[in-house]
Amino acid sequence: RDQFIAMWEADGTKGSAGNLRWNTIMSGLTFYLYNEVSTIALKKISGVTHSVANTAKRAIIIVGCAIAFGESMAPIKMIGCSIAIGGTFLYAIADDLVKPKAKKQ
């Protein structure tokens, strides 16, 4: 705890990296915005759809980070991500096929 307080107080002074406060504030802000968007999305779609989309989002982030940082992905990771993304795609198709049609009045 004392070490963190010392880092917080030294942030921005000569010889420090100077981004602890900025990174902390931005991390909190983006997490808050993520939760707001997630809540808005949950109000518009079912819980199951939201959960499936969240799973796909995680797989897409893993693949995107591997590409961005030049990391190689082991075949088992690629298979897992492909299953998650493909499953989301199949769920979306099945969900569209099963949705009840709106009656014309």
Side-chain angles (χ1 to χ4, degrees), residues 29-97:
L29 181 63
T30 54
F31 186 70
Y32 169 76
L33 292 173
Y34 164 76
N35 281 320
E36 282 293 322
V37 170
S38 184
T39 302
I40 291 168
L42 191 54
K43 288 178 183 176
K44 296 183 182 269
I45 58 176
S46 73
V48 174
T49 302
H50 189 268
S51 179
V52 170
N54 197 29
T55 301
K57 175 199 71 161
R58 290 177 184 171
I60 291 167
I61 287 174
I62 290 169
V63 172
C65 286
I67 292 168
F69 298 124
E71 298 252 339
S72 64
M73 286 187 60
I76 194 75
K77 288 181 184 177
M78 287 191 279
I79 292 169
C81 288
S82 298
I83 290 171
I85 295 168
T88 303
F89 177 70
L90 291 174
Y91 173 81
I93 291 172
D95 192 41
D96 282 344
L97 292 174

Side-chain angles (χ1 to χ4, degrees), residues 15-36:
S16 71
N19 15 348
L20 177 64
R21 290 180 184 171
W22 171 256
N23 288 343
T24 303
I25 291 167
M26 291 309 295
S27 176
L29 181 63
T30 54
F31 186 70
Y32 169 76
L33 292 173
Y34 164 76
N35 281 320
E36 282 293 322

